[in-house]
Structure formats: C-alpha cells, structure tokens
Amino acid sequence: MNVLDRKLRRDLVALRGMLLAVVSIVAVGIGSLVGFQATTDNLAAARDDYYARCRMADFWLELKKAPLASLSTLASTPGVERLRGRIAAAVIVDLPAVEEPIAGLLLSMPARREQVINDVVLTAGSWFSNGGDDQVIVSKKFAEARGLIPGDRVHLIVDGQRKTLRVVGVGISAEFVDLIPPGAITPAPADYGVFYVPRKFAEDALDMAGAANSVVGLLTRAGRADPALVLERLSQRLTPYGVFSTTTLAQQASNLNLTSELGGLATMATMMPLIFLTVAALVLNILMMRLAAQQRVIVGTLKALGYDNRSLFVHFVEVGILVGLVGAIMGCLLGIGIGAALTQWYEGLFTFPALRSRLDPGLMLLALVIALLFSVLGTLRGVRHVTRMSPAEAMHPPTPPVGGAIFLERLPGLWRRLGFFWQMALRNIFRNRSRSLVGVFAAALGTAILVSTFGMVDSLKYMVELQFGKVMLADFTLSFRSAVDGGGLYDARRLPGVTLAEPLFYVAGSFEHANHRHRGGVVGLASGATLTVPGNADGSPVRVPEQGLLMAKRLAERLHLEVGDRVRLTPTKGTRQPYEVSVTGVFDSLFGLGVYANYRWLNALVGEASAISSIQLRVAQTSAERRAFFAELKRMPTLLSVQDLAKERASLWQTLVVKLGSMSYVMILFGAVIFFGSILNAALIGLIERRREMATYRVLGYRPGEVGAMALRESLVLNLSGILLGLPLGWWMLVGMNRQYTNDLYVLPPVVTASGWLWSCALAIGFVLIAQLVVQREINRMNWNEALSMKE
C-alpha cells in the first residue's frame, strides 16, 4: 500500500460519520431511481405483453344496432387493419346470498376458441363447450370477490329477463386492466363484473341476431398517427345505425388510468433522484473543500516529494468514487425493495396475467453511473483547489480569512440587542456563505418533499370529500335501459325508506364548434335539485341556468368556447337532429367533462315531455326496509344499474386516501435523510474548524450545553430559512405531480390543509433538533485540552 492509499484509508476513517451521511443521501436517491423506474418498467412491460396477448383494440364504437354484413365492409376504411363486431349490454347480477342488485357488463365472444380482438385470458376453467349456450366466463376479480368458481350458477337480468348461466371459466382481458364501474373512478371488484357469453346467447337474449352494437378494431401504422380521423370516417359510414360513442385507446378508461399512473411513476423516478443526488453533490462539495483546506500543508509536502497533480487529483476523486460506489450499492438494494413493494401493490390494484418485479442489469448500471457522476462532481471543486496550488504556496498556512463586519453589525440598534452567542452564530453563517447556502438549499428540498407528500394526501381527501360531500349527495342512483316517464319517478318515491327522489335526464351526443368536436352528453337537473349540485373546484355551488348549457371549463377550453357562444349539440339517439344551443355558464369541475342543463328545458329541446334516464334517491332505512328496497329493485324490468354512493365513497377513500396515504411514511423518511445528512455534515465540519474556539468557551466557564446552544442557533437560522423556502417549493412540486394524474376522468387539485403545512414544519424542525443531539454528543465528548493544543 503506497503513501496515498494509506492516507486515503485514514481520511475515510476520520471522516466516516460525515461520509456515511452523504452515502445515505446518495443511497436514497439511487433507491428512488431504481425503485420507481423498475416499477414503471414492470408495469409497462406487463401492459405491452398483455395488450399484445389479447390483441388490445385501438378503438371502440358503440352503436344502436348494425348488421354484421355492413360491418364487414368497414375493414376497407383507410387506416383500419381489422375489426370485430360484438354484442355488449349492461346487466344486473342477482346473487342469492346478496341483497343488493349488482351491476355488470355482458360481452359476446365466439362460441369456439379463436384469436380475436380484445381476447380473454383464462385463469381457471375452460372455454365454452358444445353443451349449450347457457355458459359464462366471469371476470377474475369479481369471481374472487364473490366466491364464484367453474360449475357455479349465476343469475343475470338481461333486458328485463332473468337468465341462469353456468360458470365454465374465469378470465381476464386487457380491455379491463383497471375495471371501473360506469360513473365511478376506482375499481369495485365485488360490485361490478364482466360476463363473457357465447354470441348465440347474446343474440337470443337481446334480439341481436346477425347484428352488433359494439365494434372494436385495430388500426394500421398510418391510422395510429391520427385515430380521430379514422373514427370520424367510420362514424360517417355507420351513421344510419346510430353511433352513440367513439373511443380511442388513449381515451379508454382502463388504459387512461394505467397511463396516468405510469406518468406519475416516471415523474417520481426523475424528480426524487435529482433532488437527493443534487443535495449529496453539494454536501460532498463542502466536505471536500474543508478536507482540502485542512490538508493544505500535507498536499504541499506531497507535491514537494514528487507527487504530481494527476496523482493527487485521482487520490481526492477516489473519495467521491467510493461515496458514489457505496451509495449506489446500498441504493440498488433499497430500490429493489421499493420496486418489489410497489409492484406488489399495483398487482392488487390492476389486473395482469403476470406482473413481476424484475431485476434490470441495465438500470443498475445506469444507477451506478449516475451515482458516480454526481459524487465525482461533488469533489471537483475541492480537487481543483488542491491542484491549483504550487508546493511552496501549499506548505505555507493559508491567508487568514478577512473578518470584517457583517451587514447586521451595521445596524447597531439591532445588533446590540442580540446576545453574544447569537452574534457569533450569525457571523459564522454569513462568513461561510457557500456552506450556509447549501444548508438552506438542503432544508428547502427536504421540506418540499414533506409538503408535497402531505399535499398529495390532502388533495386526495379533498377530491373525495368534495365529490361526495358537496356534489353527489344522493344515497342511490337508479339508471334505466331506456328513458321512463313521470310514473317511474312516482314508483321510486314509493320504494321502502325513500325520503327524496329527483330525476335526471341524460342526452348523449356530440358537441361541435368550428373545427372542434367532442362526444359526451348533457345531464338535465330539475330546478332546485339538491342531490346533484354542480360545483367549482373550490367547492362553491354553481346554479344550473334555466336555458342553455352549463359546461365544464376544461371541455369549453377544448372546444374553444366562451360564455355566450353557441355550440352544435347532436344527440346520438332518437332523431339525431342537431341543435344550436348557447353556453350560458362555465364551471371548474374536478370530475369529468360534465355538461348540465335544466331538466325541463332539455326535455323540450329534444322533443320529450318528462323523460327520465336516472333517478337519485335519498333514503332513511331500517334493515328490513333496506332488504325490501333491494328486493323491489331486482323486480324492476327496466333497471340498468344501481349506484350505491356510500359504498362508492368508501371504496374511493380506501383506494386513494388510505392505500396511497400509507406511502407517505416512506416519503417522510426520505425527507428525514436529507435533513440529517446535510445538518450533520455542516455541523460536524463546523466543529472541526472551530474546535479551538469551542474549547476556549469551555475554559472560560461555559458549559457544554451552552456551547451546543450556539451550534443550535446556527442550525435553526439556516434550516428555518430553508423550511420557509421549502414551503412554496413543495407547493410547486405538488402542482407538478398532480398534473401527471389529471385526465378526462378527474383532476387532482393541489391542496395542502393547515395541518399539512403544520406537520411539514413540525417534522422539519423535529429533524433539526434530533440531528442536534448528535452534534451535542460530539461537543460533550470533545477533549478541550487537546483541542487547545492542536495546530492546523
């Protein structure tokens, strides 16, 4: 072992505490990179494999009824590679041991096993046999939630008729990676299922012989470049058969949620490592500058003995390389654990044939290179300081730093009011500007992580509470296959335990303005409705105008509309006559791209009198009334679905707030690492530089606690400044993260409650005080006699 190797070993032992703090910051940064990126890669790989295996559709068209013969001619449409006509229908599931009616979706499949678009992957049982058409393959999560296995019987109410089917298989499809009931934004495995039946059964049950009401298809490479144009061509050719809606893969609800999740993970995989590795580089820079200054005479001696700048450069850079190498190894191990835990969590949220946590050697190598890059960058300033000195210059003690008054001393009235220790602390802060700025910066980033973490939880809570506390105030929503009249509302009011019933009238259609188009619909609300109250993102209610449309702001912007403009509304049902209507109001909605209108005005617009699509109910029920209520619903021949708002709220709260909120503890721990790493390094470097000064205070009679109080004052000034800067920085980070989760289904608003701000500040200050305990221990253990006799 040569001289430089022995010196390196001694330096590492002497600086082990401070280097370990830097290593921990690097490890968390690399762990974030590996963990979040590995999870992103795992999800993306599972998605791509799943989509390819099931031949996931590029588009969906929902129709009234079209002959299969006419659909076969659509394959020649430019941009279309292949398509399939199928039968789709909403059904009610009547399980014997379940009181409430359960919503479901029935989809036709070929009687014989063949490769089709939006295929099914069997996880149990088998495909349809020749034993009859009364067979069904049930979606996996619904079957698991309700305990269904092959051989069981299920009862489906299809078009008002009760059908008994035998479960022959359990399966999954890429079309439903995230199976969400209509009108909801989170999965409900026990309350919504997909039922795949032989085409013959669907034709007989729904009077669809030789026809289809749903088209799924694949696009050519050219078609994928502009899917909207291809869908427009298909819609025009299918106009005689009533096109209700068109959906591209990018807009499909399941794919939309999965894509949003991948976008959020990718953001975290970039943002978190950048924060931690930047702090690590800055802290290491301060440490190496101190090491270079402390070893000035040693460096001069080594140069005088013949060691050139290249050898010394490599010697000092080795410190950064070792920090990066150890941090990368620890970070990779941490990242593997994070990736495995997140992948397992997503396995419960999404449905894949196989979602595995994989080790990617390329990702590990990239993490190692990034860790080494940031660590070496953190050493360069100190190394440059070493190599620029001549041997003669280096062997002389450094020029004493210029003291002088700091700017606060020019305010004598204020300065004299400060105690001696405050004056010393402030002088030290302003005379070591680089170190102080790094401390402030690190504290700001640590606080920003805390704020964005608490803000994410607060944002989710706010979204759920706003939707179910101010907008959707009903207990149940009953939807019907086709519009009913006022008699349906009368019957609903007579159901057991119902205290209030309000009608909704939904007109599906397309909105056109200039060259902009959107397929959606208008919800008609009765004057003075209290069970659905449209509101802005801040929770303030918005009045539905007596005439014209009240439109979500995001939709108005998409269509380039302002209040007072007119838009063409073309219903997709009935006569499909276009209407020119005014946009008389715009509101800032969090959920969907909703459009509202007055119930009676909307009925009159489309030539109806008192048509009702859905009925909202408020109930006050005993157990007996609840059982009777559900029994009555199961007997309703026109019922399409029952939405239990209390159950939906509980599911949303559990999925978004509880499960995602549990991840906040990890982020708080990450924030603590930044605080501890930066504070300990700054404080310990200060103790090394000022050992003689600290020992002098002891000789003068100051107790260790009083000496430590001066160090605490410095730490509090720096870190409180960083905390104050970190509060707006955390808000900015929260806004950026929430944008990644915004889609057509919902907007995640940036919200930080008072408790979120207080917890962020309290934890940040707590981390500062805990780190001070380590500093105080070092002060208590200091040998003041040795410190007074030491020489630089």
Side-chain angles (χ1 to χ4, degrees):
M1 184 179 292
N2 62 33
V3 172
L4 291 181
D5 290 336
R6 287 197 297 270
K7 178 180 177 299
L8 176 63
R9 184 182 63 183
R10 290 169 183 160
D11 288 344
L12 294 176
V13 172
L15 300 173
R16 60 186 181 277
M18 288 176 281
L19 290 177
L20 183 60
V22 181
V23 166
S24 65
I25 299 176
V26 173
V28 173
I30 295 300
S32 302
L33 170 63
V34 172
F36 288 116
Q37 189 59 51
T39 306
T40 303
D41 294 342
N42 292 338
L43 282 175
R47 176 201 60 189
D48 294 343
D49 292 343
Y50 197 14
Y51 282 12
R53 185 174 178 180
C54 289
R55 287 163 288 280
M56 179 68 160
D58 291 318
F59 66 86
W60 287 253
L61 293 97
E62 303 304 322
L63 319 168
K64 184 176 182 180
K65 184 177 181 180
L68 292 177
S70 65
L71 296 181
S72 62
T73 63
L74 297 178
S76 61
T77 304
V80 175
E81 179 181 311
R82 183 182 170 193
L83 51 79
R84 173 171 79 97
R86 63 180 184 177
I87 300 170
V91 296
I92 296 292
V93 188
D94 182 8
L95 297 179
V98 181
E99 291 181 353
E100 65 270 21
I102 302 169
L105 175 65
L106 181 143
L107 289 175
S108 68
M109 296 294 289
R112 292 185 178 182
R113 191 71 164 116
E114 60 183 79
Q115 294 184 347
V116 295
I117 301 171
N118 286 354
D119 208 348
V120 175
V121 177
L122 290 175
T123 60
S126 62
W127 198 256
F128 311 121
S129 65
N130 296 326
D133 295 327
D134 59 338
Q135 302 172 50
V136 63
I137 297 172
V138 183
S139 57
K140 179 182 177 181
K141 288 204 170 182
F142 181 82
E144 291 176 344
R146 292 299 182 180
L148 296 174
I149 59 174
D152 288 346
R153 301 274 176 174
V154 294
H155 307 290
L156 303 182
I157 300 175
V158 186
D159 198 24
Q161 307 172 59
R162 193 172 189 268
K163 304 286 186 180
T164 300
L165 299 173
R166 178 169 56 90
V167 178
V168 296
V170 175
I172 57 177
S173 176
E175 189 175 5
F176 305 107
V177 173
D178 194 18
L179 183 54
I180 302 175
I185 62 173
T186 58
D191 299 313
Y192 189 73
V194 181
F195 301 86
Y196 302 94
V197 298
R199 181 175 179 86
K200 181 67 166 57
F201 174 87
E203 287 182 342
D204 295 342
L206 294 162
D207 189 24
M208 296 284 288
N213 62 0
S214 174
V215 176
V216 292
L218 301 176
L219 298 174
T220 62
R221 180 176 297 182
R224 292 192 189 102
D226 191 358
L229 177 60
V230 179
L231 287 181
E232 184 62 30
R233 292 169 180 163
L234 291 173
S235 298
Q236 291 175 356
R237 297 182 65 175
L238 289 170
T239 298
Y241 306 109
V243 179
F244 296 151
S245 66
T246 61
T247 307
T248 63
L249 178 59
Q251 299 169 327
Q252 198 251 355
S254 172
N255 182 70
L256 195 63
N257 280 349
L258 180 55
T259 302
S260 295
E261 204 64 44
L262 285 169
L265 283 171
T267 299
M268 295 293 286
T270 302
M271 181 183 69
M272 295 298 292
L274 183 61
I275 290 174
F276 281 90
L277 293 176
T278 300
V279 172
L282 291 173
V283 172
L284 187 59
N285 171 69
I286 297 298
L287 178 59
M288 294 305 296
M289 285 292 295
R290 172 56 197 164
L291 183 64
Q294 186 182 18
Q295 298 185 356
R296 177 188 180 95
V297 176
I298 296 175
V299 170
T301 303
L302 290 171
K303 286 189 173 186
L305 292 174
Y307 287 93
D308 57 13
N309 283 335
R310 179 179 176 277
S311 300
L312 293 173
F313 176 87
V314 173
H315 168 70
F316 279 94
V317 167
E318 282 177 344
V319 176
I321 292 175
L322 287 172
V323 168
L325 184 61
V326 176
I329 294 172
M330 293 174 59
C332 287
L333 294 175
L334 175 63
I336 291 171
I338 293 174
L342 282 175
T343 300
Q344 185 177 14
W345 187 79
Y346 281 114
E347 191 173 9
L349 184 64
F350 297 122
T351 302
F352 291 100
L355 177 58
R356 299 184 182 91
S357 182
R358 308 172 185 178
L359 294 179
D360 182 359
L363 178 59
M364 302 295 177
L365 180 60
L366 176 63
L368 175 62
V369 171
I370 291 175
L372 291 175
L373 176 63
F374 274 86
S375 298
V376 170
L377 286 175
T379 65
L380 289 182
R381 188 178 176 196
V383 173
R384 186 179 62 178
H385 182 69
V386 168
T387 57
R388 289 173 61 182
M389 292 186 295
S390 64
E393 177 190 1
M395 294 181 70
H396 285 287
T399 304
V402 179
I406 63 173
F407 79 95
L408 289 175
E409 295 183 64
R410 297 167 189 165
L411 305 172
L414 173 63
W415 186 252
R416 284 195 296 267
R417 294 176 182 272
L418 300 174
F420 170 71
F421 278 143
W422 274 113
Q423 292 175 349
M424 294 301 297
L426 292 171
R427 281 177 180 147
N428 193 52
I429 289 171
F430 286 101
R431 288 173 180 172
N432 294 278
R433 290 188 293 273
S434 297
R435 188 189 310 162
S436 299
L437 288 174
V438 170
V440 171
F441 180 71
L445 290 178
T447 304
I449 291 176
L450 296 177
V451 171
S452 61
T453 299
F454 286 111
M456 179 64 75
V457 177
D458 288 339
S459 299
L460 294 170
K461 287 181 179 179
Y462 178 82
M463 185 173 69
V464 176
E465 290 170 351
L466 176 66
Q467 180 72 352
F468 294 97
K470 294 186 177 181
V471 178
M472 300 176 65
L473 303 177
D475 295 313
F476 295 95
T477 298
L478 312 181
S479 298
F480 305 98
R481 291 197 311 275
S482 57
V484 299
D485 57 17
L489 183 63
Y490 175 77
D491 292 338
R493 287 171 174 161
R494 296 181 60 190
L495 290 170
V498 172
T499 60
L500 179 63
E502 293 180 352
L504 298 177
F505 180 45
Y506 182 73
V507 176
S510 63
F511 301 94
E512 294 179 71
H513 178 248
N515 296 323
H516 310 288
R517 186 172 182 177
H518 173 78
R519 286 188 179 271
V522 185
V523 178
L525 297 178
S527 298
T530 59
L531 299 184
T532 291
V533 182
N536 289 309
D538 61 3
S540 59
V542 181
R543 188 183 68 85
V544 177
E546 294 298 320
Q547 295 184 340
L549 303 178
L550 174 66
M551 184 174 290
K553 181 180 179 181
R554 286 191 297 151
L555 178 56
E557 291 174 347
R558 182 175 298 183
L559 295 172
H560 291 74
L561 288 167
E562 296 180 355
V563 174
D565 290 344
R566 298 182 70 81
V567 62
R568 174 174 293 181
L569 169 63
T570 306
T572 54
K573 293 185 179 181
T575 61
R576 298 191 291 276
Q577 174 186 345
Y579 303 96
E580 295 288 335
V581 294
S582 296
V583 177
T584 52
V586 172
F587 71 111
D588 191 12
S589 173
L590 290 184
F591 288 83
L593 305 175
V595 181
Y596 294 95
N598 178 272
Y599 171 77
R600 296 197 178 281
W601 177 85
L602 186 60
N603 263 276
L605 179 70
V606 298
E608 297 285 352
S610 299
I612 298 172
S613 306
S614 303
I615 297 176
Q616 294 187 300
L617 305 176
R618 180 175 290 166
V619 300
Q621 298 169 326
T622 63
S623 297
E625 287 176 328
R626 188 176 179 86
R627 287 193 296 270
F629 172 76
F630 288 132
E632 289 285 339
L633 293 182
K634 288 182 178 180
R635 289 193 288 268
M636 283 188 175
T638 60
L639 185 66
L640 180 67
S641 66
V642 179
Q643 189 177 7
D644 186 335
L645 278 302
K647 186 178 290 187
E648 186 173 315
R649 183 191 187 279
S651 174
L652 196 61
W653 188 271
Q654 181 67 28
T655 302
L656 295 183
V657 179
V658 177
K659 289 185 178 180
L660 290 178
S662 63
M663 296 174 62
S664 63
Y665 299 110
V666 177
M667 300 303 295
I668 291 172
L669 181 61
F670 286 179
V673 170
I674 283 187
F675 275 102
F676 288 133
S678 62
I679 293 171
L680 288 179
N681 263 285
L684 293 177
I685 290 174
L687 287 180
I688 292 173
E689 291 179 342
R690 302 165 63 194
R691 284 174 63 84
R692 185 176 299 171
E693 179 185 333
M694 298 290 186
T696 302
Y697 293 143
R698 293 293 312 280
V699 171
L700 293 175
Y702 290 101
R703 294 186 296 272
E706 293 175 310
V707 178
M710 184 174 64
L712 177 60
R713 286 175 172 85
E714 290 183 28
S715 182
L716 285 176
V717 170
L718 293 175
N719 286 285
L720 287 177
S721 301
I723 290 169
L724 291 176
L725 290 174
L727 296 178
L729 179 60
W731 172 262
W732 176 80
M733 287 173 56
L734 176 65
V735 171
M737 286 192 300
N738 284 7
R739 283 178 180 170
Q740 294 296 326
Y741 293 95
T742 296
N743 52 52
D744 285 352
L745 296 178
Y746 57 85
V747 174
L748 189 57
V751 175
V752 184
T753 62
S755 63
W757 294 113
L758 290 175
W759 270 110
S760 299
C761 294
L763 283 174
I765 294 172
F767 295 150
V768 173
L769 297 178
I770 293 173
Q772 179 63 24
L773 295 178
V774 179
V775 176
Q776 185 63 54
R777 188 187 66 173
E778 292 297 315
I779 293 174
N780 295 341
R781 295 168 57 185
M782 182 185 297
N783 187 327
W784 58 269
N785 189 38
E786 178 185 344
L788 284 174
S789 61
M790 76 174 188
K791 297 181 179 179
E792 284 285 341

